[in-house]
Amino acid sequence: MSDVHRIVVVGAGAFGTALAAVIALEGRSEVTLLGRDPSLMADLRADGMHNAALPGIHLPDALQYSAEPEILAGAETVLFAMPSQAQADAAAQYGPYLAPESAVVTCAKGIDRATSRLLTEVLEAVLPHHPVAVLSGPGFAADIARGLPTAMAIAAADLADAERLAYAISGRTFRLYASSDRTGVQLGGALKNVLAIACGIVEGMGLGDSARAALIARGLAEMSRLVEALGGRGSTVQGLSGLGDLVLTATSHQSRNLRFGISLGKGEPPDFARGDLVEGAFAAAVAARLAEGHGISMPITTAVAEIIEGKLDIPSAIEQLMTRPITTE
């Protein structure tokens, strides 16, 4: 390793490209965006733009591009920025190229569908000799890439590791807050997608902003219960990776999960061709299973899962939620 801190972002989609761009802009680290398609990486290098993912946004001159996994051997920090269901395969593919001392950061917001495990657990099983952190929070790729002010959370098992990563990745427009609660940060990032689908259903049916606000508030309570059941801190969901990300995803039409929910609310069938991009469509069923296994009440999450699976129609789901027993908050 050289004295220059080297960061590789794996995944040349919108979010991975945006992360690589905002880190490279600071000039403190040598940053490389690693993608699978050599022709795409050559085009990005030549054009300085990724019009397919981030149209109209110029990428920093300092950002480097590669399709060669050997580049990972020189990186102190590696960010995995592919969708949640692709993280395990990516770890298996790129793991042999990682330097022994490199830190890995998962930047996806989901739960592994096959195993119902958190992504840090999935990556640690494949990469047992690498510390795995998680980056999550309210940040759309286009906003990050444009240099608009964005704050997110980064969590590691050791708070000192999270603080080091926060310093290495943060910049003038991209601020990271360190945490040691990987469970809370990950579940906040995964479950907010489920609740965004619920809020989209509310919007699609024209049920009003009061209903959306109620879903956000009660959804946070659901998040907190599951986080605590899985060993995290319930208070974490009140921060950037929970409440912050939920408000963004449940109110902005940039959110794929919100748009997916709106289409459901309008009576359109689920578009499972987009399922790999709508993380909440996967996370709903997994979270519902986890809740049932731990004896946790998560009625909103369960309703979304059953709607997507075709087990429950939306009017019946609303009736079930509104006729639940009256309890204290």
Side-chain angles (χ1 to χ4, degrees):
M1 297 282 182
S2 73
D3 291 336
V4 177
H5 189 87
R6 291 178 176 171
I7 297 174
V8 173
V9 179
V10 184
F15 196 64
T17 304
L19 285 175
V22 77
I23 301 169
L25 192 61
E26 293 304 307
R28 296 200 308 263
S29 302
E30 182 181 292
V31 185
T32 301
L33 179 64
L34 175 62
R36 294 177 299 177
D37 184 350
S39 62
L40 171 62
M41 306 318 289
D43 289 344
L44 297 184
R45 187 181 302 110
D47 301 338
M49 298 180 71
H50 193 338
N51 282 321
L54 297 168
I57 298 176
H58 292 274
L59 304 176
D61 293 339
L63 180 57
Q64 301 179 32
Y65 308 91
S66 178
E68 302 297 330
E70 289 82 4
I71 195 72
L72 292 165
E76 287 90 346
T77 304
V78 178
L79 279 63
F80 277 26
M82 65 289 300
S84 61
Q85 307 310 313
Q87 295 262 322
D89 288 343
Q93 177 184 352
Y94 293 110
Y97 298 96
L98 296 176
E101 63 271 33
S102 63
V104 173
V105 182
T106 174
C107 303
K109 300 175 182 179
I111 305 171
D112 185 64
R113 190 182 189 187
T115 64
S116 299
R117 300 171 74 186
L118 299 176
L119 296 181
T120 52
E121 297 172 330
V122 171
L123 294 187
E124 285 176 338
V126 182
L127 307 169
H129 304 297
H130 296 273
V132 180
V134 56
L135 184 151
S136 189
F140 287 134
D143 292 347
I144 294 171
R146 289 191 178 98
L148 300 178
T150 305
M152 302 180 75
I154 188 161
D158 187 308
L159 182 59
D161 288 341
E163 290 172 340
R164 283 192 291 272
L165 288 166
Y167 175 78
I169 299 172
S170 292
R172 286 163 290 178
T173 64
F174 188 65
R175 183 178 178 87
L176 297 185
Y177 288 79
S179 170
S180 60
D181 184 10
R182 294 188 300 175
T183 298
V185 167
Q186 286 178 96
L187 285 176
L191 296 180
K192 62 88 182 179
N193 288 324
V194 179
L195 297 170
I197 292 174
C199 288
I201 292 171
V202 164
E203 182 172 336
M205 292 192 71
L207 298 181
D209 289 336
S210 297
R212 188 201 308 264
L215 275 178
I216 289 174
R218 297 315 304 160
L220 279 173
E222 291 191 9
M223 279 189 193
S224 179
R225 287 195 291 269
L226 188 58
V227 167
E228 291 176 351
L230 295 182
R233 297 190 295 270
S235 59
T236 298
V237 304
Q238 300 172 20
L240 288 165
S241 60
L243 176 60
D245 210 357
L246 174 56
V247 169
L248 178 70
T249 312
T251 60
S252 172
H253 284 204
Q254 289 189 63
S255 164
R256 290 185 293 261
N257 290 279
L258 180 69
R259 296 198 305 269
F260 182 78
I262 291 172
S263 69
L264 293 178
K266 290 180 177 179
E268 300 171 8
D271 183 1
F272 290 111
R274 295 184 296 147
D276 60 327
L277 298 177
V278 183
E279 295 280 15
F282 289 136
V286 176
R289 289 199 301 270
L290 287 171
E292 183 178 7
H294 287 82
I296 303 298
S297 174
M298 298 185 70
I300 300 172
T301 300
T302 300
V304 171
E306 292 182 349
I307 289 169
I308 291 173
E309 293 170 3
K311 298 178 180 178
L312 184 66
D313 62 82
I314 292 175
S316 297
I318 294 170
E319 182 179 2
Q320 287 182 15
L321 290 171
M322 295 304 295
T323 58
R324 286 174 55 80
I326 301 297
T327 62
T328 56
E329 187 171 38

